[in-house]
DNA sequence: TTGAAAGCGCTAACAC
DNA sequence: GTGTTAGCGCTTTCAA
């Protein structure tokens, strides 16, 4: 017994509208979709009734009929991470502009979840799936996931923020190398030559690329690479930054600058440095990736690489919509980051120059 | 021309399965829904084909047929705020357990957006709508929004994290008064008697309640209420905390403790205090609301009121599902907060005792 | 310009 | 147990 659908409140359909307007359901549909001519007089009558009853066409019925749901499925690693939250909201806004609705699923680091989400979105008959984070970040793509996706892509196109080798997913990525260039060049210009790199796992594509680029950049400026200035595999959280920085400082290793793999790691790094009685940026500069709001909350505020989430979202949706419509798009699109200089980076200490 | 649906990859239906299994579509449907007996032999044949073709039933068709979409619409103010992100993820997890999918919309502080989202979710024929933040936070509910919601509730039940006077929405709220009790009692026990309250707007229900309770608690402990220790209407962000604390300290007003309206405001307050050369908690204690991860990132880590997002999400979904099924539920449910003591609160300075 | 009718893919009532 | 049938609410030919 559904209390929310009493007799006087039955949910109304185009047939109800049609009957009262003295036209056929087809005609009501025509004014709804607005892609066929209807005599103005009738159109007005229909419009008034729609208004009167606050009629909203049933999206399920519509998509059943034209096999397009007008919804974009999004799988994110975790929206509680502001990086994904920023991207998701940017996508939502862009999608709305394009006439689409989004449906968000969080995989929360669970590989099984990712596959379940894929299936769920498939059941919902979303028109396209965008995946950000998770398996698509892997340096070497997971075989069974690739198979799953390939199977799915027989019917639903996908766009990812990383890659998925062996699939035809569209890739919209931030230019990780360029990010590293921005950060290292900024530091080197400030006179730094002992630059640490902390956080991140090497089996993550973007991290791996950053690490490679870091080495290239050092050698470009004739700075020797030092094993003791980079963390072995770590994570992307506060703990990672805090632990590695503590270890480094504890061993008497004193870089003049630290590149954190993201804003969270940076927070841990900053805390460790401050607890060691050192000042940022006077003694040590700290820079990072992502430019989430965390970088503005911290004291000092962080110098960080920004991705321009708004245009990232737009590009993602643009690509997704193009994929739906079967229009050609480049398989890989790289987005340029920009550097946001704040308080956490400064000239290298005198003694080091 | 849909490139993703070539001939060999047509999306298959129960009819395809039925034909190949030599049974009727109804039988396939029966094994799908699993709520009618099917001879085991046939069942197996069907199951194998489902597996073979990786068949996923079309959720649109299903909901069209039984007028239940099994999706829960969620309107949040802004998932980029960790408070909402935590709640959303908790809801998503609870919803999945209950066999539901969630659809998230962010209103982003736009009143028009809120109404649009309502309509969109209505079109999607979600089974229930949960709104967290936005108009449901208003101390005095917006007339036209109430009307809109009442209209909607003829067909779709709603549950809100605040209230909507003049509607029959289910309310699942955090006990704001209890929150304030926790914080003030903690501070008073630590010997504080000059307790400031910073941030928040008085036209927001929970803030208003906190403010009232703050006054009650002071009087309960015979502490005089001082106008100069509370901010007039402010916001819920870093700036608010920073600005008000600066003003207070600048005017020579020196509370021994500050209650921030949320973690973000707390960050601004902490920074202001530190910039004035004061120590937390030795000179001034700072406590806040929400226990988002921000409270752990900050230095010192914040003492804050926690809401147990997991059970909040569960309660929200439980109520939503009950509403869908027409089961009785209390119209108002209050969730008890708990106090998380970290580094930012300590005994009041000696001179003040 | 408009209506009749078929169909989108599924569920459920009804027979057998 | 299982098939037949009738919708669910919309869009879209096809005729008129």
């Amino acid at each position: 017994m559904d209390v929310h659908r009493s007799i006087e409140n039955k949910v109304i359909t185009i047939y109800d509208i049609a009957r009262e307007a003295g036209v056929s359901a087809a005609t009501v549909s025509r004014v709804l979709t607005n892609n066929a001519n209807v005599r103005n007089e009738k159109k007005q009558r229909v419009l008034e009734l729609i208004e009167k009853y606050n009629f909203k066409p049933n999206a399920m019925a519509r998509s059943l009929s034209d096999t397009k749901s007008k919804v974009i499925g999004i799988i994110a690693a975790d929206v509680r991470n502001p990086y994904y939250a920023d991207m998701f909201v940017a996508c939502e806004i862009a999608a709305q502009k394009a006439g689409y609705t989004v449906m968000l699923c969080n995989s929360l680091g669970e590989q099984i979840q990712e596959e379940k989400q894929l299936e769920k979105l498939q059941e919902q008959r979303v028109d396209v799936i965008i995946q950000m984070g998770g398996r698509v970040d892997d340096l070497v793509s997971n075989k069974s996931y690739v198979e799953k996706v390939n199977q799915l892509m027989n019917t639903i196109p996908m766009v990812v923020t990383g890659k998925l080798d062996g699939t035809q997913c569209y890739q919209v990525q931030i230019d990780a190398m360029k990010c590293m260039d921005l950060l290292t060049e900024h530091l080197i210009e400030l006179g730094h030559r002992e630059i640490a790199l902390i956080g991140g796992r090497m089996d993550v594509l973007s991290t791996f690329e950053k690490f490679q680029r870091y080495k290239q950049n050092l050698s470009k400026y004739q700075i020797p690479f030092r094993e003791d200035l980079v963390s072995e595999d770590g994570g992307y959280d506060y703990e990672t930054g805090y632990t590695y920085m503590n270890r480094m400082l504890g061993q008497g290793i004193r870089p003049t600058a630290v590149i954190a793999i993201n804003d969270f790691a940076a927070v841990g790094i900053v805390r460790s440095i401050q607890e060691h009685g050192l000042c940022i940026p006077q003694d040590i500069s700290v820079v990072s990736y992502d430019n989430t709001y965390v970088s503005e909350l911290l004291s000092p505020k962080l110098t960080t690489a920004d991705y321009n989430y708004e245009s990232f979202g737009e590009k993602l949706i643009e690509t997704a919509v193009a994929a739906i419509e079967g229009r050609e798009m480049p398989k890989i699109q790289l987005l340029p980051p920009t550097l946001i200089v704040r308080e956490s980076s400064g000239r290298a200490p005198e003694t080091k120059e």
Side-chain angles (χ1 to χ4, degrees), chain A:
Chain A
M1 181 72 224
D2 191 336
V3 291
H4 293 280
R5 214 155 290 178
S6 48
I7 295 148
E8 70 272 31
N9 291 325
K10 77 181 277 294
V11 12
I12 71 161
T13 71
I14 51 171
Y15 289 101
D16 301 315
I17 303 285
R19 196 180 329 105
E20 191 163 339
V23 301
S24 74
T27 297
V28 176
S29 175
R30 288 188 184 102
V31 350
L32 242 31
T33 57
N34 205 25
N35 54 16
N37 286 331
V38 173
R39 199 188 312 155
N40 215 302
E41 179 208 352
K42 296 194 175 185
K43 188 171 183 172
Q44 287 314 316
R45 244 186 296 158
V46 170
L47 252 17
E48 276 167 26
L49 288 169
I50 287 178
E51 174 75 16
K52 171 179 171 190
Y53 290 111
N54 190 242
F55 168 72
K56 294 281 175 296
N58 183 327
M60 318 271 112
R62 177 173 283 177
S63 29
L64 226 212
S65 160
D66 67 7
T67 63
K68 286 274 160 262
S69 64
K70 288 301 223 176
V71 2
I72 295 175
I74 298 184
I75 297 179
D78 192 346
V79 271
R80 290 172 300 189
N81 179 329
Y83 168 72
Y84 294 108
D86 279 341
M87 290 197 13
F88 170 72
V89 171
C91 284
E92 186 186 14
I93 293 171
Q96 180 171 347
K97 276 189 199 145
Y100 283 82
T101 298
V102 293
M103 185 168 241
L104 173 67
C105 301
N106 289 282
S107 53
L108 306 179
E110 308 254 12
Q111 308 202 323
I112 306 158
Q113 266 303 89
E114 257 169 274
E115 305 193 4
K116 274 199 194 162
Q117 320 276 34
L118 234 38
E119 290 178 8
K120 177 187 288 185
L121 293 175
Q122 189 180 357
E123 285 190 15
Q124 293 295 331
R125 295 295 189 268
V126 297
D127 293 336
V128 64
I129 293 176
I130 296 175
Q131 178 168 3
M132 31 204 220
R135 297 288 238 287
V136 302
D137 279 344
D138 292 348
L139 178 59
V140 16
S141 304
N142 177 287
K143 265 277 189 59
S144 89
Y145 194 65
V146 164
E147 253 169 56
K148 187 116 199 155
V149 166
N150 272 330
Q151 196 169 236
L152 183 84
M153 284 188 54
N154 287 159
T155 51
I156 307 179
M158 261 186 88
V159 6
V160 302
T161 59
K163 65 160 188 175
L164 219 36
D165 292 325
T167 71
Q168 286 296 305
C169 290
Y170 289 93
Q171 303 173 212
V172 178
Q173 315 171 333
I174 284 142
D175 190 335
M177 306 255 187
K178 180 91 178 107
C179 282
M180 183 51 86
D181 292 349
L182 249 27
L183 258 26
T184 45
E185 274 160 20
H186 171 65
L187 291 174
I188 287 170
E189 270 170 24
L190 288 170
H192 294 276
R193 294 183 60 84
E194 285 154 62
I195 304 171
L197 179 56
I198 292 181
R201 286 183 288 106
M202 285 312 152
D203 57 357
V204 169
L205 174 63
S206 60
T207 301
F208 179 74
E209 289 185 336
K210 283 167 187 161
F211 183 71
Q212 294 305 322
R213 193 62 168 189
Y214 165 80
K215 291 215 259 191
Q216 286 175 28
N217 283 341
L218 289 187
S219 103
K220 177 173 165 192
Y221 290 95
Q222 279 101 36
I223 300 175
F225 169 75
R226 285 171 49 185
E227 286 278 4
D228 62 348
L229 287 183
V230 301
S231 61
E232 302 102 75
D233 278 10
Y236 298 83
D237 54 2
Y238 173 91
E239 278 307 322
T240 296
Y242 187 67
T243 307
Y244 276 103
M245 198 66 224
N246 269 345
R247 184 176 311 169
M248 218 173 264
L249 261 16
Q251 294 175 181
I253 302 166
R254 269 281 293 275
T256 65
V258 180
I259 299 175
I261 199 63
N262 68 5
D263 291 339
F264 285 104
V267 177
I269 291 168
V270 165
R271 178 144 199 182
S272 165
I273 292 174
Q274 290 173 338
E275 285 182 359
H276 276 79
L278 298 170
C279 285
I280 302 171
Q282 293 80 358
D283 299 314
I284 301 182
S285 287
V286 177
V287 300
S288 70
Y289 291 95
D290 291 2
N291 192 28
T292 60
Y293 60 77
V294 169
S295 44
E296 292 207 273
L297 290 182
L298 207 58
S299 210
K301 298 186 180 176
L302 288 175
T303 290
T304 177
D306 178 67
Y307 308 145
N308 193 348
Y309 293 100
E310 191 181 331
S311 59
F312 195 174
E314 280 167 4
K315 182 60 77 182
L316 242 15
I317 296 300
E318 180 194 339
T319 306
V321 172
I324 293 171
E325 298 173 351
R327 277 186 282 121
E328 275 308 315
M329 279 298 257
K331 281 298 173 196
I332 304 184
Q333 297 175 83
L334 248 41
L335 266 32
T338 55
L339 184 69
I340 307 289
V341 179
R342 296 206 182 84
E343 307 164 347
S344 68
S345 60
R347 288 210 62 77
E350 293 296 321
T351 54
K352 301 284 174 183
E353 288 190 339

